[in-house]
Amino acid sequence: MAGNYIRFDWAMKRLLRNKANFSVLEGFLTTLLGEKITIQKLLESESNQEDEFDKYNRVDMLAENSKGELILIEVQNNNEYAYFQRMLFGVSKLVTEYINRGEGYENVRKVYSVNIVYFSLGSGKDTVYHGKTEFRGIHEGDVLELTPFQRQTFKVDTVSQLYPEYYILKVNDFNQVAKSPLEEWIYYLNTGDIPADATAPGLEEVRERLKLDRMSKDELKAYYRHLDNIVILRDNIFTERAEGRAEGRAEGLEEGRAEGRAEGLEEGRAEGRAKGLEEGRAQGLEKGRAEGAEEAKKEIARTMKSLHVPADVIARSTGLSEEEIRTL
């Protein structure tokens, strides 16, 4: 069981759409955006997956705040190499769909794209990234600013406030003690637990409303199936990676043996070389398969361990010893 509270993605599907639970989302967004957020209403979001068995395990929610701004929150469990482009596509659709034909451009909505990802997106050391648009002079290096009239008309201070903003939370990469309200939220998103001394807005509401023991027996069964689907999904991803590494080792061995064969030809050791290359290739492939299989077991064990599955269960599922599991 992953923690004492319902996972955020499941809550988004089943619980947080209730107006009585808006305070959970409001607390999360207030902590992330650094300003008081009040959700006025939820809007239809085309890509939300309602089927609990959806193998892609993706869920999103579109909210409108008290200032008429749009906030798209998406949780993504599976690896998607073109996720950056999909973020752009989702925001672009909102910009164009939420303005009526014939309206002036001053009515374009401000959009926030909040992406909670449970896979390794891009290459970076941080767990939270913020992207916004600004215009900087090529020659002078200055940032293009609004005129006083534009500031008064649009009620913003900078050009970037008119454009969409993106937030990416790579929650799987968080493995430290939570020292700030945002880190307290990331800790919950990652583990399903809340630090005992957490004070971040919204987490008290999580404690009250998202407890596992508040779910009915049928709800719990469906929720655990959801967790199982996530584990299977991650196992598939790890297995694919392990197989890819094994294939890479095999290809590397083949290339290395080919170079050795060319050198052997020059030395005139044709017969001995052919036999040695064949044996070396067979040994290398066998070693590569064994290493790949072992690594796949460890990746699966790490995933189950992060979901707080007991060590003896992990051992039976993977064939690893409990001692090996404790050292992961």
Side-chain angles (χ1 to χ4, degrees), residues 193-298:
D193 274 324
I194 301 174
D197 56 352
T199 58
L203 287 183
E204 186 58 37
E205 286 77 5
V206 172
R207 289 190 180 102
E208 295 173 1
R209 303 173 188 184
L210 300 187
K211 287 183 177 179
L212 287 174
D213 58 16
R214 294 188 60 172
M215 301 174 76
S216 68
K217 186 176 181 179
D218 289 341
E219 288 172 335
L220 272 175
K221 286 175 62 178
Y223 178 64
Y224 288 141
R225 285 198 299 271
H226 174 68
L227 293 185
D228 290 342
N229 287 339
I230 292 174
V231 172
I232 293 169
L233 174 66
R234 294 184 184 176
D235 288 350
N236 289 338
I237 293 172
F238 293 144
T239 300
E240 289 172 2
R241 289 176 181 171
E243 290 176 349
R245 284 193 291 267
E247 290 176 4
R249 291 189 188 99
E251 291 177 3
L253 286 168
E254 183 67 26
E255 291 175 2
R257 298 298 181 264
E259 292 177 4
R261 184 168 58 251
E263 293 175 2
L265 282 170
E266 294 175 2
E267 297 174 2
R269 302 179 183 273
E271 185 176 346
R273 183 189 64 255
K275 183 177 179 181
L277 285 173
E278 186 63 31
E279 291 177 352
R281 186 181 300 111
Q283 292 173 2
L285 287 171
E286 184 64 28
K287 182 178 180 182
R289 292 192 188 97
E291 291 178 355
E294 186 68 16
E295 182 62 24
K297 289 181 181 179
K298 291 181 179 179

Side-chain angles (χ1 to χ4, degrees), residues 135-154:
F135 299 91
R136 189 172 295 276
I138 292 176
H139 299 100
E140 302 295 332
D142 63 317
V143 176
L144 186 63
E145 302 287 356
L146 297 171
T147 65
F149 173 74
Q150 288 172 320
R151 290 194 189 98
Q152 182 179 7
T153 302
F154 303 135

Side-chain angles (χ1 to χ4, degrees), residues 18-23 209:
N18 185 331
K19 191 174 181 65
N21 293 327
F22 279 5
S23 56
R209 303 173 188 184

